[in-house]
């Protein structure tokens, strides 16, 4: 029957027959003819072909954009921008270590990433993938013909193949036709601007983790159909890999836990299914907790607190799913309020016990974003002022509509949502009647479809609120839209198989292949001579243990290209590091030379790198430039025309990054310029203050 159609009370035999029909995909149980086997084999082959096509396509785009095979090694490393360079540096560090054991020891007792501190990188960061790849590269007999950097980037691009295959299988499971998988793969590749950014942010954690998240969704979709035990293990393995490779795993799993909770409240899942899905999440997180040397950020996560609260309240309220419609709704509201209250109580107590403050910047960002807290907080403002953490731009929807993805999606969504709401009301209102009759629950809306619908709705809302999260939504969006086009149950009265095949063929012939050829024909080349010059100077003119201060993004590149010690870096999930970063950034604020000197010496800096692109920034609007954020945090009036809050006061000192270039005695007594080009100015921080300013600037390698 169609999803929302009313059902008459059914016998147990009829119920079992209905459930079996819902679990079949195209081929009736026990009727695997040679034609069906060949047809299914063709579907699997096409999934692998589309995955390989996506992998090769992304690798070719990366090569064409940078001319990666023809540039110098330092240029290749510079192309790993911002935090990508930091993560790749640990792969390089492991390969340069005399042995695997010594490499692991250096990561566990690292004193290069943060000066004057020894930290456990395997505990702090999600870099097990770099460790695994470095060990694999050492063991495989490929060193003679495959450079380490290519082994690394090809592995990441190969994960894109896994991503496409996972989405393909999800669409196939939902619709019962692998044509839906074909559409999904085509749409994913056509919309690559909005589905992935792997070709220019290779090392980013999401490029490692999202393929595993897609595989986990596929496993959940399959589990909610035949309930095979092997699916539980697959769900655990994919959840574990997802959590191990991304530090924001807890927030994604929290959304997923809310989806499971919602489906449980309206009787789409059995008690066994709900408990299993929760325990899979918990076991995945705890496994990562152990591997990350008991990382307290995982134990203090909201998702663990929520799951404990949901399971405990559910166990205590045995009569939750009894009564008529109004009674059930009242119980659900009370139940949800109790779960939320217990969640925040457990989380508060856990963070107090663990003295956890590593993730407080994320909650500050959320409060500021939704006007629930102060907007002058430096850490929160750093996120709020970045486009990636703003609202989803409308031109995203225009691009999605241009590839014919948005239209079937927005047609499918309200239809599925409406039938889901009707089925949920039917389940809630008829629970008491079914219990009295002693009948097995009949679900008018398939649990696997219900899960995927709420998945796309919840993560769609997240994407609209924070643009960076769109990469979780848009990939799955392709599978849902393909289900809308090819789902035999959903569109029986509106579409037929001939139309579906025509749609796929038209998309391939008229848009897919020409679009790919057009993008592959665009050739560019890496060009950043100022950064290359800086890295070359640091490598050749400074000792190996020299400590550099500067912006997070630049220092990650310095770590990768030169191996020098850093004061701060882009991995922001540590309170002490955030405070040090804010202090180091005072070089772009209005502070006296003595104050800046004391800050840099306290951080152990030998050199500080000043960037004109930050000091004279024009990319952001007033109020979002880094110098403005520092002025606001320091209580100073901002640069340029415009309004200022009445409590802000004029600064008593000029902006440090500008004033130091005047070479006045107050600055030359503390800092010596040693390098400069059009983009960067490097100053050596003198070991001791000069009591008099009579000594002139030391002659350095000024260029």
């Amino acid at each position: 029957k169609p999803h929302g159609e009313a059902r008459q009370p059914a016998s147990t035999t009829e119920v079992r027959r209905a459930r079996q029909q819902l679990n079949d995909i195209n081929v009736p149980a026990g009727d695997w003819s040679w034609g069906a086997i060949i047809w299914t084999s063709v579907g699997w082959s096409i999934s692998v072909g589309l995955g390989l096509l996506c992998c090769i396509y992304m690798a070719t785009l990366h090569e064409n954009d940078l001319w990666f095979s023809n540039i110098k090694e330092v240029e290749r490393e510079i192309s790993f921008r911002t935090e990508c360079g930091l993560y790749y540096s640990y792969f390089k560090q492991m390969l340069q270590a005399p042995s695997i054991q010594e490499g692991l020891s250096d990561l566990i007792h690292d004193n290069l990433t943060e000066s004057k501190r020894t930290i456990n990188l395997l505990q702090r960061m999600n870099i097990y993938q770099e460790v695994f790849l470095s060990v694999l590269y050492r063991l495989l007999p490929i060193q003679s013909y495959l450079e380490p950097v290519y082994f690394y980037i090809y592995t990441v691009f190969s994960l894109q193949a896994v991503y496409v295959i996972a989405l393909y299988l999800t669409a196939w499971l939902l619709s019962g036709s692998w044509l839906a998988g074909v559409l999904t793969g085509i749409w994913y590749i056509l919309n690559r601007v909005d589905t992935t950014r792997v070709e220019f942010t290779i090392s980013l954690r999401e490029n490692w983790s999202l393929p595993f998240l897609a595989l986990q969704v596929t496993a959940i979709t399959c589990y909610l159909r035949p309930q095979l035990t092997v699916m539980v293990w697959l769900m655990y393995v994919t959840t574990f890999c997802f959590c191990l490779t991304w530090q924001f795993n807890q927030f994604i799993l929290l959304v997923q836990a809310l989806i499971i909770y919602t489906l449980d409240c309206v009787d789409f899942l059995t008690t066994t299914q709900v408990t299993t899905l929760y325990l899979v999440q918990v076991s995945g997180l705890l496994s990562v907790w152990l591997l990350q040397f008991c990382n307290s950020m995982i134990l203090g996560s909201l998702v663990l607190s929520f799951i404990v609260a949901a399971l405990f309240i559910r166990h205590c309220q045995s009569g939750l799913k009894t009564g008529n419609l109004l009674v059930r709704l009242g119980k659900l509201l009370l139940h949800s309020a109790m779960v939320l209250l217990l969640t925040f109580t457990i989380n508060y107590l856990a963070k107090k016990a663990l003295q956890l403050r590593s993730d407080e910047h994320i909650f500050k960002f959320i409060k500021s974003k939704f006007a629930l807290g102060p907007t002058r907080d430096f850490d929160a403002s750093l996120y709020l002022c970045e486009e990636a953490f703003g609202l989803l731009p409308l031109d995203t929807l225009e691009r999605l509509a241009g590839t014919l993805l948005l239209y079937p999606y927005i047609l499918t969504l309200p239809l599925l949502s409406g039938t889901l709401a009707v089925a949920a009301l039917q389940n809630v209102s008829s629970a008491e009647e079914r219990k009295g009759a002693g009948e097995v629950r009949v679900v008018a809306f398939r649990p696997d479809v219900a899960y995927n619908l709420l998945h796309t709705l919840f993560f769609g809302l997240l994407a609209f609120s924070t643009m960076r999260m769109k990469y979780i939504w848009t990939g799955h969006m392709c599978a849902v839209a393909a289900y809308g086009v090819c789902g035999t149950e959903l569109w029986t009265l509106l579409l037929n198989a001939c139309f579906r095949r025509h749609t796929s063929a038209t998309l391939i012939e008229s848009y897919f292949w020409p679009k790919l050829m057009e993008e592959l024909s665009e050739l560019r080349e890496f060009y950043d001579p100022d950064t290359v010059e800086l890295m070359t100077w640091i490598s050749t003119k400074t000792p190996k243990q020299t400590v550099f201060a500067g912006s997070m993004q630049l220092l990650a590149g310095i770590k990768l290209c030169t191996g020098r010690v850093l004061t701060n870096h882009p991995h922001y999930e540590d309170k002490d590091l955030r405070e040090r970063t804010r202090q180091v950034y005072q070089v772009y604020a209005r502070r006296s030379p003595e104050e800046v000197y004391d800050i840099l010496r306290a951080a152990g800096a030998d050199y500080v790198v000043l960037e004109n692109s930050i000091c004279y920034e024009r990319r952001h609007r007033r109020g979002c430039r880094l110098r403005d954020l520092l002025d606001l945090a320091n209580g100073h009036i901002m640069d340029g025309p415009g309004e200022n809050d009445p409590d802000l006061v004029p600064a008593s000192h000029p902006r440090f990054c500008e004033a130091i270039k005047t070479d006045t005695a107050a600055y030359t007594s503390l800092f010596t310029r040693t390098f400069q080009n059009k983009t960067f100015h490097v100053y050596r921080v003198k070991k001791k203050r000069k009591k008099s300013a009579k000594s002139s600037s030391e002659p350095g390698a000024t260029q």
Side-chain angles (χ1 to χ4, degrees):
K1 287 179 179 290
H3 291 299
E5 187 173 328
R7 293 178 180 264
Q8 299 298 323
S11 67
T12 303
T13 304
E14 291 172 335
V15 170
R16 289 175 179 169
R17 186 182 301 116
R19 292 175 68 119
Q20 179 62 39
Q21 289 172 350
L22 289 177
N23 284 331
D24 290 336
I25 306 177
N26 255 1
V27 183
D31 189 26
W32 280 89
S33 63
W34 282 108
I37 293 174
I38 293 173
W39 185 248
T40 303
S41 301
V42 170
W44 278 98
S45 301
I46 293 177
S47 73
V48 174
L50 277 173
L52 291 176
L53 175 63
C54 180
C55 169
I56 296 170
Y57 178 54
M58 297 299 174
T60 306
L61 287 176
H62 176 259
E63 169 65 24
N64 290 354
D65 190 51
L66 299 173
W67 204 5
F68 200 73
S69 60
N70 199 58
I71 58 179
K72 295 183 292 186
E73 185 66 20
V74 65
E75 293 175 311
R76 289 178 179 176
E77 292 179 345
I78 291 171
S79 71
F80 288 88
R81 300 288 187 180
T82 65
E83 62 187 288
C84 296
L86 183 68
Y87 297 133
Y88 181 74
S89 72
Y90 299 123
F91 172 74
K92 178 181 176 182
Q93 181 177 324
M94 279 290 295
L95 291 180
Q96 291 176 342
S99 67
I100 295 174
Q101 292 79 6
E102 289 186 45
L104 287 172
S105 178
D106 290 342
L107 293 181
I108 294 172
H109 307 94
D110 178 86
N111 54 12
L112 300 177
T113 304
E114 295 178 19
S115 57
K116 303 180 75 171
R117 294 174 184 168
T118 299
I119 61 175
N120 185 343
L121 291 170
L122 295 181
Q123 180 188 55
R124 176 84 72 81
M125 303 183 190
N126 298 70
I127 58 170
Y128 269 101
Q129 50 267 52
E130 277 75 22
V131 173
F132 173 75
L133 279 192
S134 65
V135 172
L136 197 60
Y137 185 79
R138 281 175 176 266
L139 298 178
L140 294 176
I142 56 175
Q143 292 90 343
S144 59
Y145 58 87
L146 187 64
E147 297 176 62
V149 66
Y150 278 107
F151 180 70
Y152 186 91
I153 66 175
Y154 287 165
T155 301
V156 179
F157 290 139
S158 297
L159 283 175
Q160 286 296 299
V162 175
Y163 199 173
V164 169
I165 292 172
L167 294 173
Y168 181 106
L169 294 177
T170 300
W172 189 356
L173 285 166
L174 291 175
S175 66
S177 170
W178 55 256
L179 287 174
V182 174
L183 273 178
T184 301
I186 291 173
W187 269 327
Y188 181 87
I189 297 172
L190 280 178
N191 293 280
R192 67 162 184 85
V193 173
D194 297 301
T195 56
T196 182
R197 45 182 177 165
V198 66
E199 73 270 19
F200 60 90
T201 58
I202 294 174
S203 304
L204 212 60
R205 302 298 84 178
E206 68 188 44
N207 295 327
W208 289 91
S209 62
L210 291 187
F212 294 112
L213 179 64
L215 277 176
Q216 186 226 38
V217 172
T218 304
I220 291 175
T221 303
C222 197
Y223 171 72
L224 295 180
R225 298 172 64 85
Q227 300 189 42
L228 298 175
T229 305
V230 69
M231 285 300 112
V232 177
W233 285 102
L234 184 57
M235 286 190 295
Y236 165 73
V237 170
T238 52
T239 303
F240 167 74
C241 292
F242 166 70
C243 294
L244 189 64
T245 51
W246 198 13
Q247 69 269 29
F248 294 135
N249 54 64
Q250 55 168 302
F251 302 102
I252 307 305
L253 290 187
L254 177 62
V255 176
Q256 198 173 64
L258 291 172
I259 295 170
I260 297 168
Y261 176 80
T262 304
L263 292 175
D264 179 32
C265 286
V266 291
D267 287 357
F268 281 112
L269 303 178
T270 65
T271 301
T272 302
Q273 288 174 330
V274 172
T275 305
T276 300
L277 291 172
Y278 279 149
L279 291 181
V280 163
Q281 289 190 325
V282 171
S283 57
L285 283 168
L286 292 182
S287 299
V288 173
W289 174 71
L290 288 173
L291 272 180
Q292 288 196 301
F293 297 81
C294 304
N295 187 332
S296 59
M297 191 172 170
I298 294 176
L299 284 187
S301 63
L302 263 178
V303 62
L304 277 183
S305 303
F306 176 81
I307 291 173
V308 171
L311 289 175
F312 179 77
I313 298 295
R314 194 180 197 277
H315 176 73
C316 293
Q317 291 187 317
S318 57
L320 175 66
K321 298 186 178 182
T322 59
N324 58 34
L325 178 61
L326 291 179
V327 172
R328 278 290 304 273
L329 291 177
K331 287 183 177 180
L332 282 178
L333 289 175
L334 178 61
H335 176 76
S336 299
M338 293 175 65
V339 169
L340 289 177
L341 179 61
L342 185 58
T343 296
F344 290 117
T345 302
I346 293 173
N347 192 252
Y348 175 79
L349 294 176
K351 288 187 174 180
K352 282 292 183 182
L354 297 168
Q355 297 183 337
L356 178 63
R357 304 186 70 180
S358 298
D359 58 353
E360 65 180 10
H361 64 299
I362 299 174
F363 295 101
K364 286 180 181 179
F365 160 71
I366 294 173
K367 289 179 181 179
S368 299
K369 186 175 182 67
F370 297 103
L372 300 175
T375 56
R376 284 190 190 174
D377 181 82
F378 179 75
D379 298 325
S381 298
L382 273 181
Y383 285 101
L384 286 171
C385 287
E386 287 298 323
E387 184 183 4
F389 293 94
L391 298 176
L392 187 73
L394 292 180
D395 62 352
T396 303
L397 300 180
E398 294 176 4
R399 288 192 298 270
L400 296 175
T403 58
L404 306 181
L405 170 61
L406 186 63
Y407 301 120
Y409 180 78
I410 61 177
L411 287 173
T412 303
L413 216 54
L415 182 59
L416 286 178
S417 300
T419 51
L420 176 69
V422 171
L425 285 174
Q426 175 187 320
N427 287 347
V428 171
S429 61
S430 62
E432 186 71 18
E433 179 184 343
R434 291 198 311 270
K435 184 178 179 181
E439 294 175 351
V440 180
R441 175 174 56 89
V442 179
V443 181
F445 196 97
R446 283 167 41 195
D448 57 328
V449 177
Y451 173 82
N452 279 276
L453 173 61
L454 291 186
H455 185 97
T456 193
L457 285 174
F458 280 46
F459 283 105
L461 292 174
L462 186 63
F464 273 92
S465 67
T466 307
M467 188 187 77
R468 184 175 178 179
M469 295 295 125
K470 74 176 180 179
Y471 299 103
I472 305 174
W473 172 57
T474 48
H476 188 261
M477 178 187 184
C478 297
V480 173
Y483 167 59
V485 173
C486 299
T488 53
E489 294 174 342
L490 185 62
W491 295 101
T492 299
L493 300 177
L494 300 178
L495 299 173
N496 55 50
C498 179
F499 177 80
R500 294 196 299 271
R501 285 192 290 269
H502 177 71
T503 301
S504 303
T506 301
L507 195 61
I508 294 171
E509 294 174 6
S510 65
Y511 197 86
F512 179 61
W513 199 253
K515 176 75 171 176
L516 259 62
M517 292 299 102
E518 178 186 348
E519 291 193 341
L520 291 176
S521 65
E522 296 178 4
L523 301 177
R524 300 182 182 88
E525 183 179 355
F526 176 88
Y527 184 75
D528 191 355
D530 290 347
T531 306
V532 171
E533 186 183 16
L534 172 67
M535 298 303 175
T536 303
W537 180 84
I538 293 174
S539 297
T540 57
K541 301 295 184 181
T542 64
K544 194 70 176 175
Q545 294 300 315
T546 302
V547 180
F548 277 83
S551 70
M552 295 183 290
Q553 297 82 356
L554 179 64
L555 290 184
I558 290 177
K559 171 76 169 62
L560 171 58
C561 297
T562 71
R564 300 306 188 261
V565 186
L566 314 179
T567 56
N568 52 299
H569 54 81
H571 195 274
Y572 220 47
E573 279 64 55
D574 181 77
K575 184 181 184 300
D576 293 334
L577 176 67
R578 292 194 295 271
E579 177 58 28
R580 177 183 277 192
T581 299
R582 189 180 69 83
Q583 290 296 321
V584 169
Y585 276 9
Q586 297 302 314
V587 296
Y588 297 107
R590 291 186 174 100
R591 302 292 289 268
S592 69
E594 291 79 14
E595 289 175 311
V596 173
Y597 177 87
D598 289 339
I599 289 170
L600 295 176
R601 291 306 303 158
D606 297 312
Y607 290 85
V608 58
V609 185
L610 302 179
E611 301 171 61
N612 290 338
S613 58
I614 297 179
C615 191
Y616 307 107
E617 182 184 0
R618 296 180 180 179
R619 183 169 67 94
H620 290 101
R621 57 179 172 82
R622 184 177 186 268
C624 267
R625 301 168 297 190
L626 180 59
R627 62 179 186 269
D628 296 336
L629 301 183
L630 291 165
D631 288 343
L632 290 173
N634 295 336
H636 296 157
I637 291 174
M638 294 182 290
D639 284 342
E643 296 182 357
N644 291 281
D645 291 340
D647 60 322
L648 298 177
V649 298
S652 56
H653 299 283
R655 195 166 303 283
F656 178 84
C657 63
E658 297 177 358
I660 192 174
K661 296 170 187 175
T662 61
D663 291 332
T664 58
Y667 294 92
T668 57
S669 63
L670 304 175
F671 304 94
T672 301
R673 183 186 300 159
T674 55
F675 174 89
Q676 75 174 42
N677 60 24
K678 292 184 295 183
T679 305
F680 304 104
H681 293 254
V682 181
Y683 291 86
R684 184 169 64 82
V685 183
K686 295 185 178 180
K687 296 296 182 184
K688 295 181 181 179
R689 291 195 190 185
K690 301 283 187 181
K691 292 189 177 180
S692 62
K694 58 185 179 181
S695 59
S696 59
S697 231
E698 153 186 336
T702 306
Q703 300 180 17

